Amino acid sequence: MKTITFSPLHPMANTSSKAERPAEKQDATSPAHPVERVSYGNVSASIFVREHRLPNSKSIVKYSVSLQRSYLDRQGERQWTNTLDEDDLLAGAEALTDAFKVIWRKRRHS
């Protein structure tokens, strides 16, 4: 998995595998791991890919994006939420825009 991390002070990508990651919460339709993650500070957009079978037995690739914000709880433990504070809205919009661009590139090269 490739992680792209942006700092609010320096917009250059950091593709380090040590970048902070949101919790890997899953539901019945989510794949196990994101294929890429875009982060701006404590806000990240995780991109998931799955194969979807059509009624005619053909399959197509579907992408989905999970937007999360990390924070420290009262005990100083890292937690994640899908709720953004007002100060996180621009970072969330940028992360979603970049996630769209990642998916667009993947679609064009597949």
Side-chain angles (χ1 to χ4, degrees):
M1 178 193 55
K2 180 177 171 187
T3 299
I4 304 170
T5 304
F6 296 90
S7 162
L9 301 177
H10 193 274
M12 296 303 293
N14 170 8
T15 56
S16 166
S17 61
K18 297 184 188 267
E20 286 184 25
R21 293 179 170 79
E24 302 277 340
K25 293 182 182 177
Q26 301 171 22
D27 60 28
T29 62
S30 16
H33 300 286
V35 292
E36 287 199 40
R37 184 175 286 111
V38 179
S39 298
Y40 282 86
N42 63 340
V43 176
S44 15
S46 299
I47 302 165
F48 297 88
V49 63
R50 62 184 160 70
E51 191 174 320
H52 180 72
R53 284 231 187 262
L54 299 174
N56 62 5
S57 297
K58 289 186 179 181
S59 63
I60 59 172
V61 172
K62 299 285 278 186
Y63 290 93
S64 59
V65 176
S66 172
L67 187 65
Q68 294 184 314
R69 172 180 60 89
S70 68
Y71 64 95
L72 296 177
D73 66 13
R74 292 182 181 163
Q75 291 76 34
E77 298 290 323
R78 176 83 40 205
Q79 301 293 326
W80 291 268
T81 181
N82 293 36
T83 304
L84 301 182
D85 289 337
E86 62 185 284
D87 297 342
D88 300 315
L89 293 177
L90 183 57
E94 291 293 328
L96 289 172
T97 298
D98 288 341
F100 171 81
K101 291 175 184 178
V102 167
I103 293 168
W104 183 265
R105 280 192 303 270
K106 287 182 176 296
R107 289 246 179 250
R108 289 187 62 203
H109 295 334
S110 60

